[in-house]
Amino acid sequence: MNEVSRRGLMAFGVAAGAAGLLARPALAQSRYPTRPITLLCPWGAGGGTDATARIIGALLEKDLGQPINVVNRTGGNGVVGHSAIATAQPDGYTIGIITVEIAMLHHAGLTNLTYKDYRPLALMNEDPPGVQVSASSPYKDIKELADAIKAAPAGKMKASGTGQGGIWHRR
């Protein structure tokens, strides 16, 4: 067994103390977050993006111990909310959900914003596209439906989708 010298014991104590100081945050720093966080959603309340924002907000609130306030900033086919996210103070207390439309809105002439105006933190959601009809519909595939739409008089068939610049917008 090695004999412990006073000099070795002191060196060990200094090294352990330094490691302890380095491993802790500075005493003047408070734990993040210290106040509520705003989560901006560029789409209306009740929609899919809003539902995702509220689920993510509830999970973050539980993990971070601070309220997460989902704020819907609608208008301009997503431009208003996406602009609010891009121009928010970069202080960590305003975050947002950007959607795929940000890749198209500038091409439609609705904004100068592009994906380059954001710093992504996480991918939270993916929405696969699809076309659905009632189970009792006579259309068995997309070709039959497309043929029926082409043959029908204008205004006879109804569908839903997004507005100008939205993911389903087609010129």
Side-chain angles (χ1 to χ4, degrees):
M1 184 179 277
N2 289 343
E3 194 173 308
V4 177
S5 72
R6 192 171 125 188
R7 182 171 283 179
L9 190 57
M10 286 187 63
F12 175 77
V14 168
L21 287 175
L22 293 175
R24 292 192 303 237
L27 295 176
Q29 273 185 328
S30 56
R31 184 173 160 87
Y32 172 85
T34 59
R35 58 187 169 92
I37 294 173
T38 299
L39 175 54
L40 296 174
C41 175
W43 300 106
T49 306
D50 176 66
T52 300
R54 292 179 190 282
I55 291 167
I56 297 302
L59 294 170
L60 284 172
E61 192 169 299
K62 184 178 171 186
D63 285 349
L64 298 175
Q66 285 289 340
I68 308 296
N69 302 310
V70 175
V71 176
N72 299 88
R73 296 289 305 270
T74 62
N77 296 307
V79 173
V80 172
H82 285 101
S83 295
I85 296 165
T87 59
Q89 288 294 322
D91 61 4
Y93 287 92
T94 302
I95 59 177
I97 293 183
I98 63 169
T99 59
V100 68
E101 285 80 11
I102 200 60
M104 298 174 277
L105 293 172
H106 67 285
H107 292 298
L110 299 174
T111 183
N112 290 325
L113 293 171
T114 71
Y115 69 93
K116 294 177 183 176
D117 294 297
Y118 305 91
R119 178 173 295 153
L121 301 177
L123 176 62
M124 299 183 298
N125 185 49
E126 287 183 318
D127 294 322
V131 175
Q132 293 81 26
V133 295
S134 169
S136 62
S137 169
Y139 314 113
K140 301 301 178 212
D141 59 38
I142 192 72
K143 183 178 180 332
E144 286 183 18
L145 176 61
D147 289 343
I149 292 168
K150 289 175 188 171
K156 176 160 173 64
M157 299 183 88
K158 306 262 189 258
S160 66
T162 58
Q164 180 185 3
I167 191 167
W168 307 117
H169 175 222
R170 183 171 176 217
R171 290 181 183 225

